Amino acid sequence: MKKNKTVTIHDLARELNVSASTVSRALKEHPSIGKKTIQAVKELAQKRGYRPNRLAVSLRSQKSHTIGVMVPLINRPFISSLIHGVEEAAREAGYQVIITQSHDSYEMEKDNVQVMFDSRTSGLIVSLAMETENCEHFSPFLDNNIPIVFVDRVPEKMKCHKVSIDNYNAGFKATEHLIEQGCQRIAHFSGASHQNIYKERLRGYLDALEHHKLPVDESLILKGKVLSAEEAVNLTEYLLDLPSPPDGIFSANDTAAVSAIQYAKSRGVKIPEELAIIGFNNDPISMIIEPQLSTVSHPSVNMGKLAFKKALELIEPGEAAHIIKNQSIELDTDIIVRASSFRNPT
Amino acid sequence: MKKNKTVTIHDLARELNVSASTVSRALKEHPSIGKKTIQAVKELAQKRGYRPNRLAVSLRSQKSHTIGVMVPLINRPFISSLIHGVEEAAREAGYQVIITQSHDSYEMEKDNVQVMFDSRTSGLIVSLAMETENCEHFSPFLDNNIPIVFVDRVPEKMKCHKVSIDNYNAGFKATEHLIEQGCQRIAHFSGASHQNIYKERLRGYLDALEHHKLPVDESLILKGKVLSAEEAVNLTEYLLDLPSPPDGIFSANDTAAVSAIQYAKSRGVKIPEELAIIGFNNDPISMIIEPQLSTVSHPSVNMGKLAFKKALELIEPGEAAHIIKNQSIELDTDIIVRASSFRNPT
DNA sequence: AAAAATAACGCAATCGATTGTGTAAATGGA
DNA sequence: TCCATTTACACAATCGATTGCGTTATTTTT
C-alpha cells in the first residue's frame, strides 16, 4: 500500500532506523556522520527517488531561490527574448523563474506585485506597463529591501537599479543615419510620452536634427498609443497627405515601421528614394518586409542575462560587486542599415 | 530598529497580545473569533503590510499552487503565445507559472524535470524537446501522480493527457488547398521524423495526394533538421534544380516557407503562378512577406489556456470533469489563404 | 584503570501558516 | 444559585528540511 505521497527525509529515516537529522546530514556528507551511514542513506535516497522539497528548504533557509519577472506581454519578440536571457542566467545560478504579465495595465501590475511578494521571490525583474507612471506599488519589495531590477521600460526619476539601452543615443544615431541618407524632413513615430524610452528616443531625434541644423516640425512628431500596425497606417496616411510630406520616418518600433512601409508602398511611394524608413527593435519582420527594414538592434537576450546577474548580485552580494556599482546599466545599440533607408548617397 | 524581515503572523500576534492561531483565523473571519478581534487583526495586518507567506502555506497545505511549463525555447512566436495563454488561465485560478527551457535538448529537459519536481509544482505542461523520443525522464511526476499535460509536441505512443492540433487534418487540408489551386507536383518540408507533429502533417500530405490521385514522389519530401531559414534555402535550391521542379510547397513551418519564397523570388520564380507555397503556424512574418504567405493557423493562446485548464482539472478534480474525459484534445486549425498560394483558378 | 577525547548520532527548535483539541470566561436556563 | 452552553481564544502538532546542542558509546591518553 504505497501512499500517494512523495518521499521525505523522514521516510528514509524510518526505513533506516536513524533520525531525520542524520539523513539530512548524510545527504550532504556532514563530517560527523559515519561513512557507512552516508553510503546507506544515499543509496536509499537514490532508490526511492528522494528529492528535497524546495518549499521546505526555502522556508527554513529564508531563501526562495526564485526570481520574479514582470513584463507587459510575454509574446512580443523583444520581451520573449528578454525572458529567454533571464531564464538562462537563472538556471545557471540555480534559480527558478516565475512570470507574470501586466498586459500594460497599471492595476494588473499592482496585483502582480502582490502575487510576487506572496511568493517571496528573492528578487524582481520588471519591465513597466505602458500605463505605469509611478512606482509606489512596488512598496512591498522596496520596504522589505528585496531587490528590484528594472529593465527596458524603466522608471524615469526613481533612484533604482536599471538595465536599459541608451535610448537617447539610439534615437540620435537613427535620425542621423536618415540625415546622412539625405533626408531633410524626418517624421518620428513615438509612444506614450511618460515612458522614458520614448521620451529619450524623441530627445535623440530632436538633438540630431538640431545638430545637423534641420528645423523641427512639430507636425511630424506623432505619438501612437501603442504603436500598433493599425495606428501606423493612420499616422502614415496623415503624413503622406501633408502639403509637404516627410522624406524620412524614424519609428520607435518595427511594427509601426513595417506597417508604414506597407501603406506607403500601397500609395506608390518609393522606398527609400522618396521615403526612407528606420525602425526599432530588430524584430524578425524587419528582415522579411520589402524593402528590408533598417532598424536599431537591442541586445535583448543579453539584457535579460544582465538583469538577472544584477539582481543576483543584489541578492547575494559577492565578489562581482562592481556590476552593481552603477545603479544603471546602459547598453549600446547598433544601427542596422538595410534597404528601407539606404540611398547610397556617395 | 526595524529588523529587515517581512511581517509574519506571529509579529501581528505579539503586537496584539493574541496567539498566532487567532490571527490566522481572524484573517479569514473564522466564526469562532470575536468581531473586535477580527477587526483589530485586519487593521494591523493592513497597516503592517502583512501578506501570507506562500511558501509556508504551500508546505502546510501540500499544495504549491504552481504550474510548471517546459518548452523548447521561449522566444518563438508560437511558444510565447502558448505561454501567454497558460499564464492568463493560471492567473485567474491563482496559480503561479514557473518556466524552463529545454533548448530542444533531451538532457536539459531531463534536468528541468528534476528542477520542477523539486519545486513541487502541482502540475506540468510540456512541449517536448526536438531530441526527445521517450518520456521515461518524467518518472518523478508520473510515479507520484502529479499531472502532466503535453501540448503541441506530444508523445506519440504514450497514454497521457495531450492538447494538440489535428496535425493530420491540417496537413491534409493544406495539401488539398494547393491541389485545388492546380498544383500537380507538391513538395513537402518536414521536420524530425520521430516528432509526432511532423509525422502527422506528412501523413496528411500523403493522404491528400492519394485522395486526389496524385503520385507521391519521395524526392519531393524533404526533412529539415530544425526547419530553419538557412535550411530552407538549401532545400528550395535543391527543388528548383530538379529536372522537373515542383509547382507547390507545403512547409511544416512558416520560417522555412518564407525563406523559400525569398529564395525562389531571387531565382525569378513567380509565386504563386509557378510555385505556390503554404506554411504552418501563422507567424507574424507570414503577413509581411511578399506575396503574403498562406498558412495554417494554430489557436496557440487558446492551446495554452486549455492545457492549463486540463491540468487544473487533474489537480483539483471538480465539476468540469468532462474536459478531461478524453485524454487527448485535438483542436481544429484554419487554412489561411493568402497570395502565396492563391491562383484564383475559376 | 580512570579520565579525557572523539566519533556518531538523536532531540528539539526553527521557518510561517494552519487546524484539531482543550479551556477559561461569559451567558443562558432552571 | 448551580449546571449547561456558548463564546473566544490558546496550545500544540503539522508540513519537510535544517542545525545547535546534548548524549551515548568507543577509543585514546596518561
Side-chain angles (χ1 to χ4, degrees), chain A residues 65 119 127 150 245:
Chain A
H65 285 273
S119 294
S127 185
F150 291 95

Side-chain angles (χ1 to χ4, degrees), chain A residues 13-33:
Chain A
R14 200 175 314 120
E15 197 164 345
L16 290 170
N17 278 317
V18 296
S19 73
S21 42
T22 298
V23 174
S24 173
R25 291 187 170 105
L27 287 171
K28 40 191 55 155
E29 306 193 19
H30 190 284
S32 81
I33 303 295

Side-chain angles (χ1 to χ4, degrees), chain B residues 209-275:
Chain B
L209 293 185
E210 185 181 3
H211 184 261
H212 289 274
K213 317 236 185 294
L214 288 178
V216 172
D217 184 340
E218 291 289 344
S219 67
L220 296 182
I221 300 172
L222 307 176
K223 284 178 184 159
K225 205 158 169 276
V226 290
L227 274 185
S228 66
E230 294 72 30
E231 273 182 351
V233 169
N234 294 330
L235 299 182
T236 311
E237 181 177 21
Y238 161 80
L239 288 176
L240 295 183
D241 287 341
L242 283 178
S244 98
D247 56 1
I249 300 177
F250 163 39
S251 168
N253 76 20
D254 281 349
T255 306
V258 163
S259 184
I261 292 181
Q262 291 180 318
Y263 178 75
K265 277 170 70 179
S266 78
R267 292 260 305 239
V269 175
K270 289 208 188 314
I271 297 172
E273 295 79 3
E274 298 169 20
L275 184 63

